[in-house]
Amino acid sequence: MTYEATRNRVETYFDQTATLTWERLTSTAKVSRIRETVRRGRDQMRARMLARLPDDLDGARILDAGCGAGQMTAELAARGADVVAVDVSPSLIDIARRRLDPALAGRVRFAVGDMLDAELGTFDHALAMDSLIYYGPEDIRAAVAGLGARCTQSLVFTVAPRTPLLMAMWHSGKMFPRADRSPVMVPHSPARLVRELGGPARMTDVGRTSSGFYISHALEYRS
């Protein structure tokens, strides 16, 4: 499947099928025990990625690529960054804009569209949390090369790692496709991506977060 076709499926899922689910998951509302493990895992991964950046981001220009409901965006702005928060889903952008502390609004520019759009500009850092997990190896390499070239310091991103659980879900997703199902995550070997994307000179394995049904692995590409 092409990058554009996958991106369109992601847009349809988050903007039409699962908007209310994600709005609730990314809030403090009570959710099921399974979704609570996902919420906890996402919180842990967000903290892991933010730890790769300085505490003081005053004056830094940062791209939140696939910002979703805006949790990462708000934390970056609170640290002093000027943030461009982009997502393919207008509905999620509306949620993120509504939730943002008005005192931080001057530090954030929201944009609906492709996170890889070069017209978004250049940045000191870019963060792509779980926004590349639906793409295959060629698309991952192209996305990292493109975003990395537009960052003066670093790109921190996540992939779905090859684990028995994720591989089982991946194969199940291929066996039982439905028009309204979540786009299927594409598992990757983080170690292989490190080698293919420049080796230790450019790439750092930031580590894995596993919490119930949430499993994600963070990598850092240095420009």
Side-chain angles (χ1 to χ4, degrees):
M1 185 176 293
T2 66
Y3 171 81
E4 290 77 13
T6 301
R7 182 195 59 204
N8 291 341
R9 289 185 63 197
V10 171
E11 177 183 0
T12 298
Y13 173 69
F14 285 104
D15 202 50
Q16 299 179 25
T17 306
T19 303
L20 293 178
T21 298
W22 279 89
E23 182 174 15
R24 189 174 183 85
L25 180 67
T26 57
S27 71
T28 57
K30 185 176 178 59
V31 292
S32 69
R33 284 185 292 179
I34 289 177
R35 287 181 176 169
E36 178 59 39
T37 66
V38 174
R39 177 187 284 170
R40 185 165 55 248
R42 286 178 55 82
D43 289 346
Q44 292 170 0
M45 177 53 80
R46 187 168 59 256
R48 183 189 293 273
M49 296 175 71
L50 286 167
R52 303 300 298 178
L53 275 59
D55 291 335
D56 183 358
L57 291 171
D58 187 42
R61 190 167 192 265
I62 298 182
L63 176 67
D64 187 358
C67 66
Q71 291 164 292
M72 183 85 78
T73 296
E75 294 197 42
L76 290 167
R79 290 192 189 186
D82 294 317
V83 186
V84 175
V86 60
D87 201 278
V88 293
S89 168
S91 296
L92 290 183
I93 287 288
D94 286 344
I95 294 168
R97 184 182 285 112
R98 186 171 68 245
R99 288 178 175 177
L100 185 67
D101 184 342
L104 301 176
R107 294 190 176 277
V108 178
R109 176 168 75 89
F110 288 107
V112 176
D114 190 334
M115 61 186 169
L116 304 184
D117 187 350
E119 292 189 4
L120 293 171
T122 58
F123 304 90
D124 297 292
H125 303 277
L127 298 169
M129 177 175 158
D130 297 344
S131 49
L132 292 172
I133 61 176
Y134 308 108
Y135 297 95
E138 291 185 6
D139 288 333
I140 292 282
R141 288 193 291 268
V144 172
L147 284 176
R150 290 162 42 216
C151 294
T152 61
Q153 297 186 50
S154 71
L155 161 65
V156 185
F157 65 99
T158 62
V159 296
R162 286 185 176 274
T163 68
L165 175 60
L166 276 182
M167 291 304 294
M169 290 192 292
W170 185 65
H171 286 295
S172 295
K174 293 181 70 176
M175 290 171 61
F176 303 105
R178 296 198 309 271
D180 62 347
R181 74 176 305 116
S182 169
V184 178
M185 293 180 290
V186 179
H188 295 272
S189 164
R192 181 173 181 176
L193 285 176
V194 167
R195 293 194 302 270
E196 292 179 345
L197 294 171
R202 283 194 178 273
M203 293 288 295
T204 299
D205 188 327
V206 179
R208 183 172 302 175
T209 294
S210 181
S211 174
F213 279 82
Y214 180 85
I215 307 172
S216 191
H217 201 108
L219 299 167
E220 179 179 16
Y221 177 89
R222 295 179 298 279
S223 303

